[in-house]
Amino acid sequence: MNHGTKIPAIQVRQLTMAYGDFVIQRELSFDVGRGDIFIIMGASGCGKSTLLKHLVGLNAPAAGEIFFDNVRFTPENSAGYDRILRSFGVLFQSGALWSSMTLAENIMLAMDQYTLFTRQEKMERASFKLGLVGLAGYEGYYPAQISGGMRKRAGLARAMALDPQILFCDEPSAGLDPLSARRIDDLILELRESLGTTFVVVTHELASIFAIGSNSIFLGPVGQTAIAHGDPTTLRDTSRDSRVKEFLFRGEKS
Amino acid sequence: MKDPAKTSSFEIRQEENRAELRISGSWVADSERSAPGEIFALLTKTAAVSELRITATELQESDMSLPTFVFALHRLCQQDNISLRFDELPEAATRLLGMALAVPEQEGVRRESDESSVLSRIGSDAIAVGRGWHATLEFIGGCCLALGRMAVGRAQFRGSDLWTVVQECGARALPIVSLIGFLMGLILAFVSAMQLKMFGAEIYVANLVGIGIVRVLGAVMTGIVMAGRTGASFAAELGTMQVNEEIDALETLGISPIDFLVLPRLVGLTLMMPLLCAYANFVGLLGGLVVGMSVLDLPARLYINQSMEVLDLTQVAIGLCTSIVFGVLIAMAGCLQGMLCGRSSAAVGTATNTAVVHSITCIVVATAIITVICSVLGI
C-alpha cells in the first residue's frame, strides 16, 4: 500500500503543548515518514503520552500545527478532520476498552459505524484481530474478566479494527510478559511489512526500541523541547548528548 | 507509640561559618526526636552558616528515620544555600541519601499548598462558575445538534443501546414507581380524609387525590425516583467511562460521544417518563381508592365515578407533558455531569451527587414554572 509519494505521513510544526500555564514541551517539529515505526521516548513524565494525545486530536495544541498527508489536523477543518480520524487507530496506555461490551463488540463497533460488512464478516474480522494479538477464543469476554496485559493486547486488536494506515500505540508492551511483548513487536513489524502501516509508538522498553524503531524523537525534560531525532540505533551509537546516551544504554557505560 | 527508653540527642558546634551537628542515641521510628525544622532554626539562629556537617560517632541505632531527617534538613539547607555534608553517617544511611538526592528536584515542579487568599479563591470560583455555564450551554447545544442528526437518521448510535436504556429505565423501574406511587396516593387520601371528614365531605377525597396525583404529584414523584435511580446511574456510567479513557477512545474513532452515549439515554428516558408517569398515576389513584373504601367506607363505584368526573383529558395531559419535561431534564443533568467528570474515583462520586441534586432542583423549578404557566393560561 505504498503511496509512492514523498509526503510524510505526519508533519508536526512548532507544536507547543501545555495544560493551562504549565508548558509540557515547546516548539516540537518532526516528520513521521510513511511506513516508519516512529518511537517517542524520553524520561517518565516528560510528556510522551501528552504528545500522543495531541497527535490523535484529544488535546488541542497551545501553539503549532499538525498535518496528516499535508492536510491540517484541526476540528475546524471538519471534513478533513473526520477523514483523518478514520485513517488511524489508537492503543491507549490502559487499553481503554469499552467495559460494557465484549472484546468482539469492542472491535466490531468501528466496523458497525464505518463499514458495510455483514455481521458474520465483522465477527470473522474481530476473531482474526484477536488471534493476531494472541487472544484467540476470547471474543465473548468482557474487559473486566481478563488481565491487564490481555486488555492491552485487546486494545491493540481494537485499534487495528479498520486496518488503519497509522497506528498510535501508547506503551504497547509495558506490563506484558517477555514473550507477549516480543509477539507485539513482531506483530508491529509484520503489519508494517505486509500492509505498510505507519506506527507511532510511545515506549521505553529498550529491547523493543532497537528491535522495531526506524525513527524517533527524544523529548527533553518538562518545559523544554526535543533533544534528538533519528534512528534509535544510530542515536545510541553516534549521539553526543549524554542524556540520550545514558537513556539508550540504560545508564550503563558504553 | 514513643518508647521512653529510647532517647536521642544532638549537639551543635559552630566555628565561624562552619557548623557541626553531632547526633547520638537512638534515631529510630519510636524514639523521641527533634524535628528537622527546630534543629535548623537553632543552627541558623546565632550566626550565618555556610557549611554544615553531620556526624554520628555516638549513634547507637538508626533506621529509616535518620536518612528521612537528613533529607528534610538538606531541603532546608538548600533554601539557605548551606552546603550539607553527611558522609560520616552510617554507611547505609549515606547510600540511601545518595540515591534520594541523585535526581534533584526540578524547578517549578513543587506545588505549594492551596491556601490562597480569600480574594483569589473568590476569583477562581467565579471563573469555575463561568466555565461550568459555558460547558453546560455547549452540552445543550451539542445535544440539540445530535437530535437534529438523529431526525435525519445520521446520528452514530446503536439501536441496541437505546433498547438497553428503555429496559433499564422503563420496565426495571416499575417496582419502585409502583411502591412510591401507591403510597403517595394512600398518604394523600389519608391526610385529606381526616380534614374532609370534619365537614362530612368525604367524597371529595376522590377529587383531591385525583387532581393532586394526576396533575402534579404523579409526575413529580416519578421524576424524583428516576433522578435518584437513573440520573445517578447515567452520571456514574459516563463518569467511569471518562476515568477509563473510554470516551477518548470513542473520540479518536471519530464517534461523537454525545451521539453514541448521550442520545440513547436522552431519548430512552424521555420516551419512558410519560409511560411511567401514567402508570404512577394509575397506581396512585388505586392507593386513594383503597383508603376511600377502607377508612371512609365509600363504595368503590361512587369513588371511581367521582374521580372520573373531575379528571378530564387536560389534567392528564398536563401531568404527562410535565413528566416529558422531567425526562429531558434528568437525562441531561445526569449525562452532563458524567461527561464533565474528572479523572478520579472521587470525581465520579461528585458527578453522581451533582447530577441528582441538579435533577431534583430542576424538577422542582420546572414544576413551579409549569404551574404558573397553567394558571396564567387558565387550565
Side-chain angles (χ1 to χ4, degrees), chain B residues 68-364:
Chain B
T68 309
F69 164 79
V70 179
F71 189 76
L73 202 59
H74 181 268
R75 225 190 118 212
L76 293 169
C77 287
Q78 226 173 12
Q79 282 167 1
D80 284 16
N81 277 329
I82 300 171
S83 73
L84 179 72
R85 277 182 52 201
F86 50 79
D87 44 7
E88 288 161 73
L89 290 180
E91 208 184 323
T94 314
R95 277 205 308 265
L96 282 170
L97 277 166
M99 296 198 86
L101 297 170
V103 179
E105 186 175 313
Q106 273 181 32
E107 229 158 283
V109 167
R110 185 175 293 276
R111 294 205 172 139
E112 297 308 329
S113 59
D114 288 340
E115 278 181 37
S116 40
S117 72
V118 179
L119 274 180
S120 78
R121 244 182 293 168
I122 292 174
S124 59
D125 281 0
I127 291 170
V129 168
R131 287 215 181 110
W133 275 106
H134 185 257
T136 308
L137 291 176
E138 204 177 306
F139 177 79
I140 295 173
C143 287
C144 292
L145 288 177
L147 283 170
R149 282 196 292 273
M150 193 176 87
V152 295
R154 283 183 48 209
Q156 297 165 301
F157 81 98
R158 303 186 304 173
S160 61
D161 286 341
L162 177 63
W163 289 116
T164 316
V165 174
V166 162
Q167 184 188 22
E168 178 49 42
C169 61
R172 294 232 171 102
L174 285 180
I176 180 80
V177 170
S178 311
L179 180 72
I180 304 281
F182 186 77
L183 288 179
M184 269 320 284
L186 207 79
I187 294 164
L188 199 58
F190 216 80
V191 173
S192 48
M194 293 299 139
Q195 303 301 313
L196 292 173
K197 223 175 182 174
M198 293 193 282
F199 305 101
E202 290 100 325
I203 185 61
Y204 287 102
V205 168
N207 297 35
L208 253 167
V209 173
I211 303 262
I213 294 281
V214 170
R215 197 175 163 130
V216 192
L217 281 176
V220 170
M221 289 320 291
T222 316
I224 288 178
V225 168
M226 295 311 278
R229 195 181 171 280
T230 307
S233 93
F234 285 175
E237 272 170 32
L238 299 194
T240 313
M241 291 187 79
Q242 192 69 266
V243 173
N244 290 341
E245 297 185 306
E246 292 175 41
I247 292 182
D248 286 355
L250 279 176
E251 275 178 30
T252 58
L253 257 187
I255 298 178
S256 149
I258 293 197
D259 280 21
F260 194 78
L261 299 171
V262 177
L263 215 48
R265 289 174 169 80
L266 179 62
V267 173
L269 185 60
T270 311
L271 285 178
M272 284 303 104
M273 272 301 282
L275 297 184
L276 281 175
C277 174
Y279 174 73
N281 290 349
F282 172 74
V283 182
L285 293 178
L286 211 64
L289 179 66
V290 167
V291 174
M293 285 168 64
S294 58
V295 180
L296 302 173
D297 287 330
L298 293 170
R301 201 164 180 86
L302 183 66
Y303 187 97
I304 294 171
N305 274 344
Q306 184 75 14
S307 298
M308 298 293 269
E309 227 162 81
V310 290
L311 289 176
D312 52 15
L313 207 56
T314 318
Q315 311 284 356
V316 179
I318 289 174
L320 294 187
C321 289
T322 313
S323 74
I324 295 176
V325 174
F326 291 169
V328 174
L329 292 174
I330 296 166
M332 292 279 246
C335 293
L336 170 67
Q337 293 307 323
M339 297 293 287
L340 295 184
C341 180
R343 300 241 154 153
S344 66
S345 51
V348 177
T350 315
T352 314
N353 179 4
T354 317
V356 175
V357 172
H358 283 188
S359 352
I360 293 181
T361 316
C362 287
I363 286 174
V364 174

